[in-house]
Amino acid sequence: MTALTALPAWQDMLTAADRLADVDMRQAFQHDPERAARYSLSACGMLLDYSKNRIDDAALAALFELARATGVEEQRAAMFSGQRINATEDRAVLHTALRAPREAVVEHAGENVVPAVHAVLDRLSGFAQSVRNGEWRGFDGHAITDIVNIGIGGSDLGPFMVCEALKDYTAQHLRLHFVSTVDGWQLANVLAGLNPATTLFIVASKTFTTQETLTNARAARAWLVAAGGEDAVARHFVAVSTNTEAVCQFGIDPANMFGFWNWVGGRYSLWSAIGLPILLAIGDIHFRALLDGAHAMDRHFATAPLHGNMPVILAMLGVYYVNGMGAASHLISPYNQPLHRLPAYLQQLDMESNGKTVRLDGDAVDYQTGPIIWGEPGINAQHAYYQLLHQGSQLIPVDFIAALSNPRSSAEHQTILLANFLAQTEALMCGKDAATVRAELSAQGLDEAAIAALLPHKVFAGNRPTNTLLLDGLDPHTLGGLVAMYEHKVFVQGVVWGVNSYDQWGVELGKQLARAIEAELRGTAPAGRHDASTSRLIAHVRSALGT
Ligand code: F6P
């Protein structure tokens, strides 16, 4: 037994899950007219209704006790106060300092980091403003029209997701492009539509060693230099990184570099200089509103009692389903189209953080940890994989997310969208029982034999758990709160599972092997020692490459 599974609070959670695995939520609502109100709360421009879960007061009490017993409150304080909770990398975890107001004090290694955060933010703002208002000129004197962010993982997913989500706030005269993959098809396609004289590249890489990013950046640089010469680089390339030396080596002037710090994890970095594409797209006022929204959620998370704390509630419900009821995945269903990259963003946030099987104390876990996060905009998903949610054999908890205000959508569209949004959570919970199906089929005039044959296929068991998140609007402030809420949810789950949510050693092995295989594919290294399958495949690829 690990320290976690030996806890009485863990056992209480499992007992509650056992007791409620087959609870009839419909009856729970009938018995308790206050259930929806009691299991709802509002914070930071969002209403969370978590009443459609297999819970009761005792189960929730067990979950909050588990959070307490695993030290969520202490770890939360440790994170906010800059302790090195990322122990395997010996780093603090201070993305919350990136959205702290100017007058706040956040100490790291005996120094208040907030002035440095705001100094970079002000510099970024000034630069973004000069690009947005056309003062910043390209090599032939024209203003910038296109911005290409070259980055991957946290240096792509966050900025891309937010730029898409806040399209309504975006400057019309600037086009944003995101290049992440080392499939050169992507860069080639983006560049094909661009004029080097009016294109600005942001090379975004925390480490500035990431192969995909540097390969794309080198190719983009060559494309620019071919048109504008070496001198053009200073007008068309900026870097965002923590690695000044590598930025200089690459050939970008440090004057064109915006820094951040190693206490900002890549997947937690959209609030830092990595957010430059967002700032360019939506401008200073809206970017600061995004930060303020995240800060408001930080305050909520830091101060609200566990039972009234949105990230804690969502996190503990997640633990309950993963460990108490065997859920292997968690679905994110945003109904607003601009949130179409939110599931992809949350995949990295959650799975790179909590996809671990070794505890911070070095022991292997003897329980499940981070679930598979997946999703697409919900309305499309209804016509694709919701069948499996309604009648499949897996238990899949879902977060339904929609904005109440949607000014660019007509009232007609918005009403239909929200009707579907609400209907799905109702259908998933209420299902449709055999008696109702029988009555419907009989009303259609089917005979007994036909009813008997069809009936089992038309029954919906229901009782499927969902969280409903209604945002006041899809504005920068609310979006900031939403994203920060998920960051904190992931944090709480990491604490409960005892893993370090802030390292990502699991991605390293593939990178190492790729370097070795790359040399073999080029024919510059002798055949390495591989398993028979990999050796054969390398030979096959080499013959296609002609090396
Ligand atoms: O390979 C995973 C990863 O290290 C992520 O954690 C990170 O967000 C991404 O690569 C990009 O890293 P960088 O910003 O250093 O290029």
Side-chain angles (χ1 to χ4, degrees), residues 169-189:
Y169 294 81
T170 298
Q172 296 299 309
H173 63 292
L174 288 177
R175 285 180 296 267
L176 270 289
H177 312 268
F178 288 83
V179 172
S180 54
T181 168
V182 79
D183 177 352
W185 180 94
Q186 191 185 29
L187 179 68
N189 262 287

Side-chain angles (χ1 to χ4, degrees), residues 14 26 57 270 288 290 425 470 500 519:
L14 294 183
R26 289 152 293 204
D57 288 353
L270 74 86
R288 287 181 198 260
L290 181 81
T425 65
L470 278 168
N500 179 4

Side-chain angles (χ1 to χ4, degrees), residues 152-155 205-207 210 266-267 348 352 504 507 511:
I152 196 165
S155 300
S205 175
K206 178 178 170 183
T207 55
T210 303
R267 53 194 173 275
Q348 187 200 19
E352 203 174 67
Q504 57 284 317
V507 299
K511 291 185 194 173

Side-chain angles (χ1 to χ4, degrees), residues 138-355:
F139 65 80
D140 71 354
H142 284 96
I144 298 299
T145 57
D146 291 86
I147 292 145
V148 183
N149 188 77
I150 299 178
I152 196 165
S155 300
D156 166 73
L157 288 161
F160 190 18
M161 180 273 288
V162 174
C163 285
E164 290 294 292
L166 298 179
K167 270 250 161 79
D168 287 354
Y169 294 81
T170 298
Q172 296 299 309
H173 63 292
L174 288 177
R175 285 180 296 267
L176 270 289
H177 312 268
F178 288 83
V179 172
S180 54
T181 168
V182 79
D183 177 352
W185 180 94
Q186 191 185 29
L187 179 68
N189 262 287
V190 167
L191 295 184
L194 301 183
N195 172 2
T198 58
T199 300
L200 176 75
F201 293 95
I202 303 170
V203 186
S205 175
K206 178 178 170 183
T207 55
F208 229 78
T209 59
T210 303
Q211 189 185 31
E212 296 88 336
T213 299
L214 294 186
T215 305
N216 282 326
R218 274 192 297 270
R221 195 179 190 283
W223 176 82
L224 174 82
V225 168
E230 273 296 325
D231 289 350
V233 173
R235 308 301 304 160
H236 293 268
F237 268 80
V238 297
V240 177
S241 187
T242 57
N243 187 346
T244 313
E245 205 185 317
V247 168
C248 294
Q249 265 169 20
F250 178 83
I252 295 179
D253 187 337
N256 281 354
M257 172 182 163
F258 300 95
F260 59 113
W261 305 270
N262 72 11
W263 39 261
V264 182
R267 53 194 173 275
Y268 298 85
S269 64
L270 74 86
W271 325 98
S272 71
I274 289 289
L276 178 57
I278 307 171
L279 191 47
L280 284 158
I282 67 175
D284 178 71
I285 291 174
H286 295 315
F287 188 71
R288 287 181 198 260
L290 181 81
L291 298 179
D292 286 350
H295 178 67
M297 180 53 73
D298 294 341
R299 296 321 308 148
H300 168 77
F301 175 55
T303 58
L306 298 185
H307 64 270
N309 195 309
M310 237 183 230
V312 174
I313 291 168
L314 289 176
M316 297 314 295
L317 287 171
V319 168
Y320 183 62
Y321 289 121
V322 168
N323 301 111
M325 298 194 193
S329 81
H330 188 100
L331 176 63
I332 305 292
S333 263
Y335 271 64
N336 293 73
Q337 190 58 28
L339 287 175
H340 71 109
R341 291 296 291 171
L342 183 68
Y345 167 78
L346 293 179
Q347 283 181 323
Q348 187 200 19
L349 180 70
D350 200 315
M351 296 202 275
E352 203 174 67
S353 296
N354 288 339

Side-chain angles (χ1 to χ4, degrees), residues 451-519:
I451 292 177
L454 255 185
L455 191 137
H457 301 283
K458 294 206 148 205
V459 167
F460 289 63
N463 233 18
R464 313 220 168 193
T466 60
N467 296 308
T468 300
L469 268 161
L470 278 168
L471 319 184
D472 289 347
L474 193 46
D475 55 84
H477 196 272
T478 313
L479 182 69
L482 178 73
V483 175
M485 183 197 71
Y486 277 111
E487 288 180 345
H488 296 319
K489 174 197 165 183
V490 167
F491 165 83
V492 171
Q493 293 189 329
V495 172
V496 172
W497 287 321
V499 298
N500 179 4
S501 301
Y502 300 100
D503 63 14
Q504 57 284 317
W505 301 109
V507 299
E508 294 306 320
L509 176 60
K511 291 185 194 173
Q512 262 173 26
L513 297 187
R515 288 278 183 202
I517 291 177
E518 184 190 327

